Amino acid sequence: MSTSRAEKAARIRHLLETEGDAVAASTKGFNAGRYESVARLEDYEALKAEARAIKEDAIERLPELVEQVETAVEENGGTVYVADDAADANRYIRAVCEDVDAESVVKSKSMTTEELEVNEALDAVGVRPVETDLGEWVLQVADEAPSHLVAPAIHKSRDDIATLLNETFEPDDPLETAEELTRFAREQLWADIRTADVGMTGANFIAADSGTLMLVTSEGNARKSALVPDTHVAVAGVEKLVPSVSEFQPFVELIGRSGTGQDITSYISLLTPPSDAPTMDFEHAQDVPLSEQSGTRDFHLVLVDNGRMGMREDDQLRETLYCIRCSACANSCANFQHVGGHAFGGDTYTGGIATGWEAGIGGEESTAEFNDLCTGCSRCVNACPVEIDIPWINTVVRDRLNRGQDPGSLEFLVDGLTPDEEPGGLDLQKRLFGNFETLAKLGSATAPVSNWLASSRPVRALLERVAGVDSRRELPAFERETLVDWFEARGGSRVDRDDAVRSAVLYADRYTNHVLTDRGKAAVRALEALDVHVLVPEVPGSGRAPLSQGMVATAEAKAERVHDRLRPCIEDGDDVVVIEPSDLAMFANEYAKLIPADAASLLAEHSYEVMEYVYGRLENDGDSDELRSGDGAAVDYHSHCQQRTLGLEAHTVAVLEHLDYSVRTSDVECCGMAGSFGYKQEYYELSMDVGGDLDAQFGGSDAILAASGTSCVEQLGDLLPRDATHPIELVGIAGARQAE
Amino acid sequence: MGLSNAPGMTESLTERFQDALSAHNATASVVGTDDFGAVLAERLTGPAVGSPLPFDGVSLDDLPVVLDPTPADLEAATFGVTPAELALADYGSVVVRADGHGSEAVSLFPETHVAVVAQSSIEPDARSAFEQLDETAREDRSSAVVETGPSATADMGGLVYGAHGPTDVHVLILCDR
């Protein structure tokens, strides 16, 4: 194993052992809560679309909104400072503190102040920052970084926190329960809040027309921090601006639900500072009634650019500015659930969207360590309340990282073998997985020799050393006869076009064509049993493999070729039926970013997942007599992550139940294999750890194991003693045609 | 507000509000202005602070509640009474204005917060409430909090009610206001 891969594997292993359990318990709870909470909304999708539209509009009009809020805050008696970068923001914040001779600043939770490293800047000039959010305070005591956008100390268990506080503060009675820990923290922090000179908050949203800040909190510390000290400094990224308070509403309804599964948090503060609330001096005027307190409230809004205006100009990163930092992308991510934000995150931000934030603020290089942890499973896409295509941002940044890399010494070897569109310096591991199509063709052409060779110890050792392909994984075994060859050899479709109710091109993806040909044959037979005329032409790979390695140009070239090949078929009236969900997701979603809109929508409109297609036939008077009956047999079915994002899990379940199978479905977000991810040596252990959830659900059963994705089938095969099969193979056909 | 004043509508909004609030570990009860003083007196425990109630026929003057408290009163108080200008039926939330009488502090520091709201101020949903809040923000440039149940945290390894703010929240709904 190369040193960097070994180091990365060791770091992930360490975090799995030390923080994984605490992170998993909370994130899975948040994620389950999200599903329940959004289901209680009357029209969740419409609310998301509204939130998205508000953000699109606000970012489009950002310079105008900045001017507007400057006017509003000044009218209110406050000051706005637009800071170019962290140093500029910190300089201003320090000056405000100096003006009031501040000894201490009480802070409520703010990721933006983490980004700016405000605490370090204050410490450096002798002003003591005190984090008052309990999670942030625990981290300040522990001198650690947040591992989650919303619950910063999520990686610490109650025991960890109790030990930390007991060792640090040595209370008379050791603290143990969450209640005791909370009470202790509250008392400690109140002592700081009552005497602080400056209160610092963030802002979840800012209304440009009135200068109103919206703060989404639960503990009450943000309210106290803004209320008790006379001087209030709010620090927020410029992207937090929306036109007015009425635009807050969809976000009020979405943010808690999306993040922690709360319909609403305890406090939605709508602060238009300086506040009308009387000042309150707990130190020098504690016996003076509020009406006679003599302090003067002062307010500073620090709006932070720090790369954001550049992101606004960047067509690929712009969407990141719509992020409301709810943490849904982290909580819904199988990798994040297992390893947490100390691995899956950059200097400040964590989870899937961290790639966008960190790249925008610190440049692509600052995402190099964690960007690969996004496998593109897409489970965050529907969870995001502002509909950000988070996997796409990860892919684009990966592509930019690839292009920024220096050519390695093996370049000359690889360039000849791999007909891709990528630069010479591309990581060999990425290039290998990204060019699976070439390998598959070569593999089938030379099978079974290719399989013997690939499974031989010296070759596996070489693959592991040079390309980081983990030798604990079984490699796919290539079939000598591809699905296309088999279909041609049998004389094409057994249902004439003239007799058929529909005509369909079965897309022979690279796995179905070269490795898992049985599922392709089963699909052909099932479709024919439903009176569909089937075609199985040679069509290029969809581009999923290169795309997942961040090889966007290669994926584009493939998308164009697939489109050119399928367009005439579609124009002839053929449907396109796809077995591999990740390829269908390419046609349905990613192609819109790779090829012209009309071309992409043509493919998206005419493509179907194979079980969805069977379902459609059965719904439209298709006769299932010729299909196999399950006779009540039990099936454990794991749908595919991208298939579920497309809303297509239900169709498979419905078909299997129609055929008298008794189906139990998994509720894990992803199997952990995610294409090539689980083959990579640095991620093998994480992949197996994620797979453990599936093992926990389906282990110890003797039901038929079914999964829709190739990687899921492989992962299940490695996890469980039973082999998994594609559901289309359970549909099969009854009677004479089975003899084929 | 238009529709919410229709007969039957108010009752159903009130029920919705109460149901939603109970899901957030807080309670609400409906009282008439005549009974208000007695009902509140029964709930009062410990040192209490308050801010004036702007509802006709209702006052804190004759109750053992410190109005215009000092910071020391706020620190010592375990019970706080404030008005709320709006309630959200869907969420069980009340809107407390950060007025010049110290309502923000009174609703935040003591362990128990009792919010008093006119039944006619119960808005059905967040959309209608935020239309009003938008108008107030623009015209008055004042601050408020949308409060839903007690303060809470999950940062200490378990869900705890009563973090930096109140542990108990009760809403008194004035049925004839």
Side-chain angles (χ1 to χ4, degrees):
Chain A
M1 197 179 323
S2 73
T3 320
S4 67
R5 283 197 181 101
E7 280 167 3
K8 191 173 248 187
R11 178 164 160 68
I12 288 173
R13 189 181 313 122
H14 175 71
L15 289 171
L16 287 173
E17 284 164 5
T18 54
E19 302 185 349
D21 289 349
V23 171
S26 293
T27 50
K28 287 177 187 176
F30 293 159
N31 197 40
R34 172 177 59 82
Y35 283 115
E36 287 167 22
S37 181
V38 301
R40 287 193 285 270
L41 282 167
E42 227 162 83
D43 198 343
Y44 172 48
E45 294 302 324
L47 207 55
K48 285 198 292 183
E50 195 185 342
R52 166 88 187 188
I54 290 169
K55 277 294 191 180
E56 280 183 5
D57 169 65
I59 297 303
E60 175 71 30
R61 298 199 281 132
L62 197 50
E64 179 194 327
L65 296 181
V66 171
E67 275 181 32
Q68 223 183 329
V69 83
E70 282 176 324
T71 308
V73 170
E74 274 157 31
E75 281 169 7
N76 298 343
T79 312
V80 176
Y81 185 75
V82 181
D84 294 337
D85 55 23
D88 191 15
N90 288 331
R91 203 177 308 126
Y92 183 82
I93 293 165
R94 279 197 304 249
V96 170
C97 291
E98 275 164 27
D99 277 354
V100 297
D101 291 325
E103 286 171 18
S104 66
V105 173
V106 283
K107 291 179 65 205
S108 68
K109 191 177 136 35
S110 152
M111 289 309 299
T112 306
T113 64
E114 295 275 353
E115 171 192 326
L116 304 175
E117 299 186 345
V118 168
N119 290 7
E120 288 76 356
L122 290 175
D123 267 331
V125 292
V127 178
R128 189 169 65 98
V130 179
E131 296 288 353
T132 62
D133 171 85
L134 298 187
E136 287 285 350
W137 179 67
V138 164
L139 295 184
Q140 191 177 29
V141 173
D143 194 21
E144 289 180 22
S147 66
H148 188 272
L149 290 174
V150 173
I154 200 174
H155 57 283
K156 288 199 170 301
S157 67
R158 182 171 54 82
D159 281 351
D160 295 338
I161 297 168
T163 305
L164 172 75
L165 298 189
N166 287 328
E167 282 175 2
T168 308
F169 297 98
E170 300 179 340
D172 294 339
D173 294 317
L175 306 164
E176 194 185 326
T177 66
E179 286 77 11
E180 287 166 2
L181 293 164
T182 301
R183 199 176 317 121
F184 179 80
R186 172 192 171 123
E187 283 162 16
Q188 289 280 322
L189 289 166
W190 173 238
D192 287 317
I193 295 170
R194 70 195 292 282
T195 58
D197 306 293
V198 174
M200 189 178 291
T201 69
N204 295 86
F205 299 89
I206 305 168
D209 69 345
S210 63
T212 306
L213 321 173
M214 176 167 127
L215 266 62
V216 180
T217 67
S218 280
E219 292 182 356
N221 62 306
R223 292 175 68 191
K224 282 183 175 168
S225 300
L227 178 68
V228 176
D230 288 356
T231 303
H232 176 193
V233 179
V235 182
V238 279
E239 83 285 1
K240 302 290 176 70
L241 285 162
V242 294
S244 73
V245 166
S246 55
E247 279 80 28
F248 290 171
Q249 173 256 326
F251 299 102
V252 168
E253 302 206 60
L254 286 167
I255 193 166
R257 294 178 198 269
S258 302
T260 51
Q262 294 166 279
D263 294 359
I264 194 166
T265 59
S266 303
Y267 304 124
I268 306 287
S269 291
L270 303 169
L271 303 176
T272 312
S275 165
D276 297 335
T279 58
M280 48 201 77
D281 188 338
F282 285 87
E283 216 177 352
H284 307 105
Q286 57 178 346
D287 295 318
V288 178
L290 292 184
S291 63
E292 293 165 31
Q293 291 277 327
S294 59
T296 313
R297 290 197 177 275
D298 192 15
F299 173 62
H300 300 264
L301 174 61
V302 182
L303 285 176
V304 180
D305 176 349
N306 206 28
R308 287 164 175 79
M309 292 315 253
M311 292 164 78
R312 188 172 163 270
E313 301 295 321
D314 184 324
D315 285 344
Q316 309 296 345
L317 292 186
R318 184 181 307 120
E319 263 199 319
T320 306
L321 296 172
Y322 307 159
C323 169
I324 62 170
R325 299 176 181 180
C326 70
S327 79
C329 58
N331 303 331
S332 60
C333 170
N335 277 348
F336 191 96
Q337 287 175 356
H338 284 255
V339 77
H342 284 158
F344 199 158
D347 284 344
T348 310
Y349 298 99
T350 48
I353 197 63
T355 290
W357 281 119
E358 297 286 349
I361 290 160
E364 277 86 20
E365 273 307 314
S366 54
T367 72
E369 275 304 303
F370 67 91
N371 167 265
D372 282 348
L373 286 168
C374 171
T375 65
C377 86
S378 79
R379 295 306 298 145
C380 54
V381 173
N382 294 349
C384 175
V386 281
E387 304 177 332
I388 301 174
D389 192 342
I390 295 162
W392 177 255
I393 292 172
N394 277 279
T395 303
V396 167
V397 171
R398 193 169 303 153
D399 182 72
R400 291 180 185 177
L401 280 168
N402 289 343
R403 286 172 190 282
Q405 264 161 15
D406 290 332
S409 56
L410 288 156
E411 173 199 3
F412 66 96
L413 262 180
V414 186
D415 267 356
L417 273 175
T418 51
D420 59 37
E421 314 284 330
E422 308 302 320
L426 176 64
D427 175 62
L428 184 61
Q429 186 188 55
K430 287 195 162 74
R431 180 160 270 183
L432 178 80
F433 286 117
N435 283 290
F436 181 74
E437 180 166 6
T438 311
L439 290 178
K441 279 183 188 157
L442 198 66
S444 278
T446 58
V449 178
S450 55
N451 296 327
W452 298 335
L453 201 60
S455 59
S456 76
R457 210 171 289 166
V459 171
R460 289 309 303 263
L462 186 71
L463 271 175
E464 185 165 282
R465 190 162 50 79
V466 177
V469 179
D470 201 285
S471 55
R472 287 165 288 190
R473 289 282 186 195
E474 224 174 283
L475 290 180
F478 298 107
E479 296 289 342
R480 178 90 198 186
E481 186 183 48
T482 66
L483 180 70
V484 171
D485 292 344
W486 167 83
F487 187 75
E488 204 180 291
R490 89 203 266 267
S493 188
R494 302 273 163 95
V495 176
D496 284 344
R497 195 181 265 273
D498 295 340
D499 303 332
V501 290
R502 311 276 305 187
S503 173
V505 170
L506 179 69
Y507 175 65
D509 65 84
R510 298 304 88 183
Y511 270 93
T512 306
N513 199 37
H514 296 274
V515 183
L516 302 173
T517 52
D518 280 351
R519 68 185 195 181
K521 295 172 191 173
V524 169
R525 292 173 186 135
L527 295 178
E528 288 178 343
L530 292 162
D531 301 320
V532 176
H533 173 72
V534 184
L535 299 103
V536 189
E538 181 77 43
V539 183
S542 71
R544 168 62 69 191
L547 193 75
S548 71
Q549 308 303 321
M551 297 159 65
V552 176
T554 307
E556 262 168 18
K558 290 202 188 282
E560 276 164 25
R561 277 155 51 200
V562 168
H563 167 259
D564 292 349
R565 181 69 189 81
L566 291 178
R567 181 173 200 109
C569 304
I570 294 170
E571 283 169 349
D572 277 355
D574 295 337
D575 302 316
V576 177
V577 174
V578 183
I579 297 175
E580 183 61 40
S582 63
D583 291 319
L584 181 69
M586 286 292 283
F587 298 172
N589 290 332
E590 279 91 350
Y591 273 21
K593 298 196 163 78
L594 302 173
I595 55 177
D598 63 320
S601 66
L602 180 85
L603 265 176
E605 223 171 278
H606 294 274
S607 300
Y608 304 86
E609 194 267 333
V610 63
M611 295 295 278
E612 175 195 18
Y613 199 75
V614 169
Y615 174 84
R617 287 299 312 124
L618 292 174
E619 283 292 291
N620 288 288
D621 307 323
D623 187 356
S624 58
D625 286 355
E626 283 197 71
L627 301 177
R628 189 193 295 181
S629 165
D631 291 328
V635 175
D636 286 346
Y637 172 55
H638 172 66
S639 177
H640 179 277
C641 43
Q642 286 157 338
Q643 179 185 0
R644 287 170 62 202
T645 298
L646 293 170
L648 295 173
E649 177 183 22
H651 302 78
T652 298
V653 175
V655 168
L656 293 178
E657 284 176 349
H658 179 92
L659 298 177
D660 197 22
Y661 288 97
S662 162
V663 185
R664 179 171 69 153
T665 55
S666 70
D667 65 3
V668 303
E669 296 291 3
C670 177
C671 71
M673 183 61 121
S676 61
F677 184 79
Y679 283 103
K680 295 181 177 177
Q681 200 174 13
E682 60 273 40
Y683 302 124
Y684 171 79
E685 284 158 86
L686 174 57
S687 165
M688 291 302 278
D689 202 63
V690 171
D693 292 348
L694 209 44
D695 187 3
Q697 288 195 1
F698 287 164
S701 144
D702 58 2
I704 298 166
L705 199 55
S708 296
T710 303
S711 356
C712 323
V713 167
E714 287 168 347
Q715 176 79 322
L716 282 165
D718 284 356
L719 288 165
L720 301 175
R722 298 169 283 162
D723 275 339
T725 183
H726 190 284
I728 195 68
E729 293 179 70
L730 302 176
V731 170
I733 62 158
R737 286 183 194 163
Q738 207 168 17
E740 179 184 25
Chain B
M1 279 303 296
L3 273 180
S4 63
N5 284 338
M9 199 64 149
T10 313
E11 283 72 20
S12 78
L13 274 184
T14 305
E15 269 174 43
R16 244 164 74 196
F17 173 78
Q18 287 177 300
D19 287 350
L21 189 57
S22 67
H24 290 278
N25 284 278
T27 50
S29 49
V30 181
V31 293
T33 45
D34 290 349
D35 300 331
F36 175 80
V39 169
L40 185 59
E42 209 166 294
R43 291 196 159 263
L44 272 173
T45 51
V49 290
S51 52
L53 302 177
F55 311 105
D56 280 347
V58 161
S59 167
L60 298 174
D61 289 346
D62 299 330
L63 292 162
V65 175
V66 178
L67 299 171
D68 194 17
T70 64
D73 292 331
L74 286 169
E75 275 192 288
T78 59
F79 197 96
V81 188
T82 69
E85 66 182 31
L86 281 180
L88 279 72
D90 277 356
Y91 287 91
S93 316
V94 291
V95 177
V96 178
R97 183 68 48 192
D99 55 32
H101 305 293
S103 287
E104 171 73 353
V106 170
S107 67
L108 181 59
F109 289 95
E111 268 169 44
T112 299
H113 174 217
V114 171
V116 185
V117 68
Q119 192 164 25
S120 60
S121 303
I122 304 179
E123 286 296 318
D125 50 34
R127 192 175 296 269
S128 57
F130 270 80
E131 275 167 22
Q132 294 194 39
L133 292 169
D134 178 64
E135 212 177 294
T136 323
R138 217 163 338 111
E139 286 169 10
D140 297 355
R141 305 289 174 97
S142 59
S143 302
V145 63
V146 182
E147 172 191 339
T148 312
S151 73
T153 186
D155 283 349
M156 292 298 188
L159 180 62
V160 177
Y161 291 104
H164 290 272
T167 309
D168 292 303
V169 170
H170 185 77
V171 179
L172 286 176
I173 302 164
L174 297 171
C175 62
D176 43 2
R177 288 292 173 267

